[in-house]
Amino acid sequence: MSARTEGHAILRGPRAEIDACQLAVEQAMAQHGYGREALFAVRLALEEALVNAIRHGNRHVPDGQVDVQWSVDGDEARFEVHDQGEGFDPDAVPDPTQDDNLEIPSGRGIMLMKAYMSEVEYRGPGNHLSLVYKRSKVA
Amino acid sequence: MTYESSRLRISAVRDVMRIDFVDRDILDEATIRQIGQDIQRKLEPMSAPKVLMCFTVVEHLSSAALGTLITVGSLVKKKGGKLRLAEIRPEILEVFYITKLNKHFNIDESAEAALKAFA
């Protein structure tokens, strides 16, 4: 399989920056032969990760930035997303699939990331997210 | 009669308000907010509305978009109406199953089936 492809972006919030980042990741994955299912999974998970970091992570950080790094090879795609906020406890987010919570409009981002990625880990105080998509996950 | 906003095509099919999404991606926060506002504005004067939302062209949606659907569903319910979702691609349908929102919404394979279910 071809060599690893790496990329890096700094996001300040505008939608165009997220789209550009998603496009670069999609191109890197396509270059390594990932199929439609993988691209869908990563796009969805990365969308949730980036929007959470910008909207929630950096909410109280004036001019906050989100640092995104990715690394793709034939076996896996890895992402590191850092925001500049205080972090949070992901275990404190209520389970949105509980019957009592189904009508709550928010709180589904983390579960979607966990459903579509092979590994999802919040590090430090919760302002550093690591995501991994392993190719073996594809049926 | 058909009403078009930049994000939605809204038409009347008998007594059902059919809403078609125009965008392939429902991800951007501003887009999602606009969709929510447009639908709420249309629902405002209605009582016991029958609403059909068709996802025919939608290829990606985020949890924020799901949130807006839940808000619309709650508003329809509050007004004594009914909401059905239809024409959802398998990848997107999986998102509804993962989040168990398939239990919260009435989902039909086609617009035709949804219209029949309203009758």
Side-chain angles (χ1 to χ4, degrees):
Chain A
M1 202 45 85
S2 55
R4 184 169 282 266
T5 304
E6 295 182 339
H8 177 230
I10 301 284
L11 311 182
R12 291 168 186 82
R15 182 70 218 177
E17 293 180 349
I18 297 177
D19 290 341
C21 181
Q22 289 274 25
L23 181 62
V25 167
E26 191 176 318
Q27 287 171 343
M29 291 184 69
Q31 186 187 326
H32 286 276
Y34 286 86
R36 192 177 153 181
E37 200 175 318
L39 297 180
F40 179 89
V42 167
R43 183 167 184 190
L44 179 58
L46 196 54
E47 175 73 23
E48 300 297 337
L50 300 181
V51 170
N52 276 353
I54 292 167
R55 190 176 167 194
H56 300 298
N58 281 349
R59 184 174 39 188
H60 301 301
V61 184
D63 304 318
Q65 298 181 349
V66 172
D67 183 295
V68 192
Q69 294 181 52
W70 61 90
S71 160
V72 182
D73 63 19
D75 298 323
E76 63 182 28
R78 285 186 168 268
F79 305 89
E80 304 292 336
V81 180
H82 295 252
D83 65 58
Q84 296 174 312
E86 292 174 352
F88 76 113
D89 177 6
D91 294 331
V93 177
D95 179 354
T97 63
Q98 292 293 310
D99 285 349
D100 289 349
N101 297 334
L102 282 178
E103 288 194 44
I104 299 174
S106 58
R108 290 174 179 80
I110 295 173
M111 81 158 306
L112 285 174
M113 286 189 267
K114 286 180 176 170
Y116 282 97
M117 300 299 278
S118 312
E119 293 173 21
V120 176
E121 187 183 353
Y122 278 96
R123 296 182 179 177
N127 61 358
H128 173 192
L129 173 62
S130 295
L131 300 168
V132 182
Y133 183 93
K134 291 184 187 292
R135 187 169 230 147
S136 56
K137 188 176 169 71
V138 181
Chain B
M1 195 167 75
T2 302
Y3 163 88
E4 290 210 30
S5 74
S6 56
R7 305 296 180 194
L8 303 168
R9 187 176 306 112
I10 301 178
S11 55
V13 184
R14 298 190 298 273
D15 58 345
V16 176
M17 179 168 81
R18 173 176 171 155
I19 300 172
D20 283 275
F21 291 96
V22 171
D23 297 297
R24 287 189 312 167
D25 299 338
I26 309 178
L27 301 169
D28 176 28
E29 215 170 299
T31 301
I32 293 166
R33 199 179 317 119
Q34 192 189 338
I35 286 171
Q37 288 169 352
D38 284 351
I39 295 174
Q40 287 183 33
R41 203 173 301 125
K42 291 295 284 185
L43 286 174
E44 224 161 67
M46 303 172 80
S47 66
K50 292 179 182 174
V51 182
L52 166 59
M53 299 178 85
C54 291
F55 292 73
T56 319
V57 301
V58 178
E59 292 178 1
H60 296 95
L61 56 72
S62 64
S63 64
L66 294 176
T68 292
L69 293 179
I70 291 166
T71 303
V72 169
S74 300
L75 181 58
V76 170
K77 191 176 166 188
K78 199 172 152 190
K79 284 177 163 287
K82 287 177 184 165
L83 171 67
R84 303 192 78 87
L85 312 182
E87 305 202 353
I88 304 175
R89 288 169 192 239
E91 309 93 274
I92 302 287
L93 194 57
E94 192 184 8
V95 174
F96 281 87
Y97 276 87
I98 288 168
T99 53
K100 297 200 178 162
L101 286 174
N102 61 308
K103 294 201 298 189
H104 180 68
F105 292 112
N106 289 307
I107 299 177
D108 299 289
E109 201 173 322
S110 66
E112 196 179 42
L115 289 168
K116 267 185 196 162
F118 273 124

